[in-house]
Amino acid sequence: MTVESTAARKPRRSSGTKRAAGAASAAKPAAAATAQTQDAVPQLVQLLTPEGERVENADNAEFAPFVADITTEDLRGLYRDMVMTRRFDGEATALQRQGELGLWASLLGQEAAQIGSGRALNDEDYVFPTYREHGVAWCRGVDPTNLLGMFRGVNHGGWDPNTNNFHLYTIVIGSQTLHATGYAMGVAKDGADSAVIAYFGDGASSQGDVMEAFNFAAVYNSPVVFFCQNNQWAISEPTERQMRVPLYQRAQGFGFPGVRVDGNDVLACLAVTRWALDRARRGEGPTLVEAFTYRMGAHTTSDDPTKYRRDEETAAWEAKDPILRLKAHLLATGGADEAYFAELEAESEAMGKRVREAVRAMPDPDTMAIFENVYADGHALVDEERAQFAAYLASFEEGH
Amino acid sequence: MAVEKMSIAKALNESLRKALEQDPKVLIMGEDVGKLGGVFRITDGLQKDFGEERVIDTPLAESGIVGTAIGLALRGYRPVVEIQFDGFVFPAYDQIVTQLAKMHARALGKVKMPVVIRIPYAGGIGAVEHHSESPEALFAHVPGLKVVSPSNASDAYWMLQQAILSDDPVIFFEPKRRYWDKGEVDFDAIPGELHKARVTREGSDVTLAAYGPMVKVCLEAAAAAAEEGKSVEVVDLRSMSPVDFDGLQASVEKTRRLVVVHEAPTFLGMGSEIAARITERCFYHLEAPVLRVGGFHAPYPPARLEDEYLPGLDRVLDAVDRSLAY
Ligand SMILES: Cc1ncc(C[n+]2csc(CCOP(=O)(O)OP(=O)(O)O)c2C)c(N)n1
C-alpha cells in the first residue's frame, strides 16, 4: 500500500441511491449510442470543456447527476491524482532513458480517463488492466514502484492482485477482458454488491477474445464494465485500421449499452463510469465505455511515432490536455490558487525522487527464482532441474 | 556486385522485396508492417514501394490474420504473415493447427497452402514477458507444417525465398537477437535445399547441433574448445520440420558424440526428438548418450535472469566435457 493515494478513495457502496431520476432503463442503450457518420467524432459525453468550463447539455444530462456530490475538495483530489500520475509516468520514462528500465509504456494524455474511471470504483470492485493503467493502479493504492518491476525485468508482475483488487498487467492483447467477465460471472453467482472493470485499447477491440468477452458478459448479464481507452493508435495503426463503426456502438450488437465519453475530461469519465458501475451493481449487466482520448507520447519507449503520425495531430490534442483543463476550471472557480499548485508540484517532485531511488535500489532476483512458483504443488521435473542447475552453478564456485 | 554484406534484418527485407517483385500474388500481412515497417523494421519501405494492397496493415487480431491468410491462399495468393512476437502467435494457434496444417490433406491434395508465418522468436533482448519465447516444438509437432529458422544473413535471404516459393505452410522463426548480425549474401547463388542441415564448422570429437540463435553460441563454444585441444563440429540444422537426420547422422557417425542445443525447454523439445532418432540410427556408433542443453521447465524468466536461463558458452562447453567424459 502506498501513502500517497488515499485522498479520494472512499467506498461508494451507496452509489445506487445517487441514480438520477431520469436514468436510462436497463435495456435502453445510452443516449450517446445513436447513429453517427464515420468521419465526424460522434457526440461525446462531456462535463468540462477544454477551456475548463462546466457544460450542461442533452448528451450529459443522464450522467451529470452521478457527480452532483463532487465537492471542490474532490476536484482538487482528482487534480492531484492526475498530476501525481503524470509525474510518476514522466519519471518512469526518464528512468528508461537512463537504462534503469528496459521498457516503459507511458500513459501521458490518458490521465483523465484513468483517474476518472479509477476513482469511480469501490474498494470491493475488481480491476483487470492492460499494461498502461498506471493511473488506475494509483487509484487502487498500488505502490507505484511495484509497477516498475516488470518493466525493469525483475519479475513478471510484482504485486498480489488481491491486495488492492487490481489484477496483474496483461501484455497479450485483450485476454484480460475474458478474465474480467469470468470474474464478474463469479461476483454475480456470489450475489455480491460489487462490480468488475476491464481496461483495453482500441486496437485490442479487434481481438476475438474481446468479442467473446462482450458476448459472455451479455449472455450472462455479468456485472462488468468494459472500459476502452481509445487513444487513436495501436502502435502505428490508426483506429481506421481496427474498425469502421465507432467503437461504443459495437455494444449495441451484443445487447448492452455503449457510451462515448470525452476521455480527457476527468469529471465526465468519473460520471459515466459511476453510471456504468451502478448499472452493473444493480444487476443490469455490462456496459461498454469508450473514453475518447489520445496517446501523447510513443506507444512504448521502443517506438518511434514520427514514422507514422503527424505533429499537427499531436499538437491539436495538446489543446485538450486533461490536466490543464481541470486546472483552468479550478482557477476560474477559485477552487485552488497558485500556492496550492506550487505545493502539489513539490509533492510530486518528492514522489518522483522516491520512485527514482526505489528503482535504483531494486535488487536483481536470485538466479534460482527461475524455478520458483512454477507449480503450486511442486513438480518432480522442476525439482530435478533445479538441483542440477544449482550443482552446475556451485561447480564454478568450487573452481571446477 | 552480387555479393553484399548486410544484417539478417536487411537480408529478410531484401528477400521480401524480391518476392513481391517476382510474384504479384505475394502479399505481406501483419500488425504495423506498413508505414512503421514492422516493430523490427523487417518490412521497412515495402508498403511505400508496393502499396497498401500488397503490404497490408491488419487489425490487431492474430487469429484473423492467419485465418484470412488461409482464405487468400485458397484464392491463389501467397500470403507472408508477420506475427509481431513469439508470445503473440497463440491467438492464431487454433487457425494454424486445426486449419492451415490440415487443409491440403483434407482436400485430397487439391488445394495448396502457400502461407509463410514469420515469427521473431527467442530471447536475449531484455524484453518483457511473451517477447522471448521459443515455441518451435509446438509447431514442429504438428503434421502438415514445415518449420525453419535461419542463423545467418545468407540463409535469412535464401530460406525466406524458398519458404515463400513452397506450396506448404512454413513457420519461419527469425532469431530476433541476431537481427543485427552481419554476413555476406550472394544474390546470384544457387541456394542449398531448404531442409538440409549444414556443417558450419568441421570437427572430429563431438557434434554440436543447433539452429537459429544458438548456432552462434555453438560456434563460439567450438572455438573455445579448440583452444583446449578439442575438435568440435557444429551442425546448423536450419530446419526443425523436417529435420535432416541423414545429414546429422553423417556428422555423428564421424564424431560419435552429439550435443543438441536450443533455447526452448528441453522437456519434449526438439532435442528430445533428435536424441531419440539419432540413438536409433547411430546406436553402435555412439560413445556417449546424446545430451541436450536448453531451457528449464519454467516460464521464460524476467529479463534480469535471462542470461542465466539461456544456454551460453559455459553450459555448452560443460555438455561437451560431459559427453567427452564417457
Ligand atoms: C496478442 C497480441 N498481439 C500483439 C501484441 C503487440 N502489441 C502490444 S501493444 C499493441 C498495440 C495495442 O494497441 P491498443 O489496444 O490500442 O492499446 P494501446 O497500447 O494503444 O493502449 C500491440 C500490437 C500484443 N501485445 N498482443
Side-chain angles (χ1 to χ4, degrees):
Chain A
M1 289 291 282
T2 179
V3 281
E4 287 101 348
S5 58
T6 46
R9 184 131 191 251
K10 52 189 174 201
R12 296 208 163 275
R13 279 193 164 281
S14 60
S15 56
T17 59
K18 291 200 190 74
R19 187 176 166 220
S25 70
K28 183 176 155 248
T34 50
Q36 302 294 338
T37 66
Q38 265 175 50
D39 317 342
V41 173
Q43 61 214 86
L44 221 50
V45 177
Q46 188 182 68
L47 294 170
L48 271 184
T49 67
E51 294 73 37
E53 280 161 25
R54 277 295 295 259
V55 277
E56 281 177 33
N57 55 38
D59 288 338
N60 71 24
E62 185 175 351
F63 305 99
F66 284 83
V67 288
D69 64 321
I70 289 291
T71 63
T72 304
E73 197 195 327
D74 292 335
L75 283 180
R76 280 200 301 262
L78 294 169
Y79 183 78
R80 176 178 172 277
D81 288 335
M82 290 199 288
V83 168
M84 297 292 274
T85 300
R86 181 172 289 187
R87 184 66 189 80
F88 165 69
D89 186 72
E91 190 61 44
T93 302
L95 286 164
Q96 195 280 334
R97 299 277 179 249
Q98 292 158 19
E100 298 288 347
L101 301 178
L103 182 82
W104 183 244
S106 167
L107 69 14
L108 187 66
Q110 299 178 216
E111 294 87 352
Q114 296 196 13
I115 299 301
S117 59
R119 285 298 179 209
L121 301 164
N122 289 349
D123 283 359
E124 302 74 27
D125 296 340
Y126 212 101
V127 179
F128 286 85
T130 155
Y131 43 77
R132 206 191 287 284
E133 268 65 77
H134 322 313
V136 185
W138 172 268
C139 295
R140 299 308 284 174
V142 175
D143 185 327
T145 59
N146 281 351
L147 303 177
L148 299 172
M150 66 180 282
F151 292 100
R152 188 174 170 85
V154 302
N155 58 45
H156 285 322
W159 61 90
D160 173 354
N162 293 324
T163 305
N164 304 82
N165 283 6
F166 185 77
H167 190 67
L168 301 169
Y169 277 1
T170 303
I171 288 180
V172 179
I173 295 297
S175 295
Q176 76 282 2
T177 56
L178 280 166
H179 311 159
T181 301
Y183 194 96
M185 287 161 66
V187 166
K189 282 186 195 302
D190 295 345
D193 175 28
S194 59
V196 180
I197 188 165
Y199 289 85
F200 59 105
D202 45 293
S205 75
S206 295
Q207 288 283 355
D209 273 8
V210 175
M211 264 49 88
E212 293 180 25
F214 285 2
N215 201 35
F216 271 67
V219 164
Y220 296 110
N221 201 44
S222 307
V224 57
V225 176
F226 296 107
F227 194 93
C228 179
Q229 287 168 85
N230 177 357
N231 66 8
Q232 314 301 324
W233 292 91
I235 309 188
S236 74
E237 298 192 5
T239 49
E240 301 90 81
R241 265 289 168 243
Q242 307 296 337
M243 67 203 73
R244 294 298 296 269
V245 169
L247 228 163
Y248 72 96
Q249 290 181 6
R250 199 178 293 177
Q252 235 177 333
F254 288 91
F256 55 89
V259 190
R260 180 175 269 182
V261 60
D262 183 339
N264 288 18
D265 173 351
V266 70
L267 207 53
C269 289
L270 179 66
V272 168
T273 312
R274 278 183 174 178
W275 170 84
L277 290 166
D278 194 34
R279 290 188 73 251
R281 290 196 195 98
R282 277 188 283 114
E284 292 175 12
T287 308
L288 171 61
V289 176
E290 177 189 0
F292 204 77
T293 180
Y294 194 73
R295 185 192 89 208
M296 294 302 296
H299 169 70
T300 66
T301 44
S302 306
D303 173 44
D304 174 11
T306 62
K307 296 268 286 186
Y308 54 83
R309 78 182 181 189
R310 293 168 303 116
D311 289 346
E312 304 90 86
E313 180 189 296
T314 314
W317 276 92
E318 257 163 38
K320 301 181 196 170
D321 188 294
I323 295 188
L324 296 181
R325 176 181 311 205
L326 187 53
K327 184 174 188 177
H329 179 74
L330 285 169
L331 281 171
T333 57
D337 56 14
E338 289 301 346
Y340 172 79
F341 296 116
E343 209 175 298
L344 186 53
E345 171 77 18
E347 189 191 359
S348 73
E349 271 313 307
M351 188 265 303
K353 186 163 174 280
R354 179 175 83 79
V355 167
R356 192 158 61 243
E357 284 164 1
V359 166
R360 294 205 169 124
M362 209 179 267
D364 280 356
D366 181 74
T367 303
M368 298 317 277
I370 289 171
F371 302 98
E372 275 168 29
N373 299 313
V374 181
Y375 294 91
D377 292 336
H379 188 286
L381 177 61
V382 177
D383 294 345
E384 184 188 326
E385 290 188 350
R386 181 196 288 115
Q388 278 169 355
F389 195 51
Y392 168 75
L393 292 177
S395 72
F396 288 95
E397 270 142 43
E398 289 153 11
H400 179 64
Chain B
M1 188 46 205
V3 180
E4 246 185 80
K5 194 167 181 180
M6 63 179 65
S7 66
I8 288 183
K10 179 73 179 153
L12 293 167
N13 179 268
E14 290 293 338
S15 191
L16 291 171
R17 176 173 292 278
K18 183 176 172 201
L20 286 164
E21 275 165 3
Q22 283 191 333
D23 183 352
K25 294 293 187 191
V26 170
L27 304 174
I28 312 273
M29 300 169 65
E31 296 159 12
D32 303 294
V33 297
K35 263 195 191 136
L36 188 65
V39 291
F40 288 107
R41 308 289 185 265
I42 305 303
T43 57
D44 203 21
L46 298 180
Q47 191 181 64
K48 192 167 129 270
D49 295 341
F50 295 93
E52 293 185 10
E53 288 294 318
R54 306 280 312 277
V55 181
I56 305 167
D57 268 335
T58 64
L60 210 177
E62 287 76 9
S63 179
I65 296 169
V66 173
T68 55
I70 290 170
L72 283 158
L74 288 170
R75 180 70 193 176
Y77 285 89
R78 305 186 83 86
V80 183
V81 157
E82 176 172 304
I83 299 291
Q84 206 156 69
F85 278 94
D86 36 64
F88 307 144
V89 71
F90 295 103
Y93 196 65
D94 170 40
Q95 285 288 347
I96 296 171
V97 172
T98 68
Q99 306 303 320
L100 181 64
K102 297 177 176 170
M103 205 68 87
H104 181 68
R106 289 175 58 223
L108 310 174
K110 299 298 179 202
V111 302
K112 308 215 186 317
M113 277 291 122
V115 176
V116 176
I117 301 178
R118 296 179 35 241
I119 310 177
Y121 91 118
I125 64 161
V128 291
E129 65 171 342
H130 310 303
H131 290 71
S132 303
E133 287 159 28
S134 297
E136 63 270 19
L138 297 177
F139 294 92
H141 188 69
V142 179
L145 301 177
K146 289 180 172 170
V147 184
V148 302
S149 181
S151 69
N152 57 65
S154 173
D155 273 353
Y157 180 84
W158 283 112
M159 287 170 71
L160 186 51
Q161 289 293 302
Q162 292 164 316
I164 295 169
L165 289 171
S166 169
D167 281 334
D168 287 315
V170 181
I171 313 293
F172 194 88
F173 281 109
E174 299 173 1
K176 65 171 90 80
R177 73 162 133 154
R178 306 285 180 229
Y179 270 146
W180 303 279
D181 287 6
K182 287 191 172 173
E184 281 184 355
V185 180
D186 181 350
F187 293 103
D188 297 333
I190 296 163
E193 281 175 51
L194 178 58
H195 301 290
K196 270 257 178 309
R198 182 186 298 129
V199 176
T200 332
R201 179 187 171 112
E202 302 235 15
S204 52
D205 297 339
V206 189
T207 297
L208 283 177
Y211 47 83
M214 280 296 133
V215 172
K216 188 174 179 183
V217 173
C218 289
L219 286 170
E220 286 167 2
E227 287 177 16
E228 298 169 5
K230 295 164 202 159
S231 173
V232 175
E233 177 146 308
V234 178
V235 174
D236 182 352
L237 291 173
R238 301 170 76 247
S239 175
M240 290 92 94
S241 178
V243 173
D244 176 12
F245 285 110
D246 292 345
L248 190 55
Q249 179 174 351
S251 174
V252 175
E253 283 179 0
K254 181 173 72 168
T255 65
R256 298 174 166 259
R257 290 182 167 84
L258 174 62
V259 177
V260 189
V261 184
H262 53 60
E263 291 188 22
T266 52
F267 183 68
L268 285 175
M270 289 302 302
S272 312
E273 179 62 34
I274 291 167
R277 298 260 174 182
I278 289 298
T279 304
E280 281 174 22
R281 284 171 173 242
C282 306
F283 190 70
Y284 294 108
H285 287 91
L286 285 169
E287 300 280 354
V290 179
L291 299 180
R292 289 164 295 159
V293 182
F296 305 112
H297 193 68
Y300 192 89
R304 298 262 169 165
L305 287 180
E306 70 178 342
D307 285 347
E308 269 81 71
Y309 175 94
L310 290 170
L313 215 56
D314 286 332
R315 276 174 65 199
V316 175
L317 288 171
D318 178 68
V320 166
D321 288 348
R322 278 190 286 132
S323 178
L324 285 167
Y326 277 91

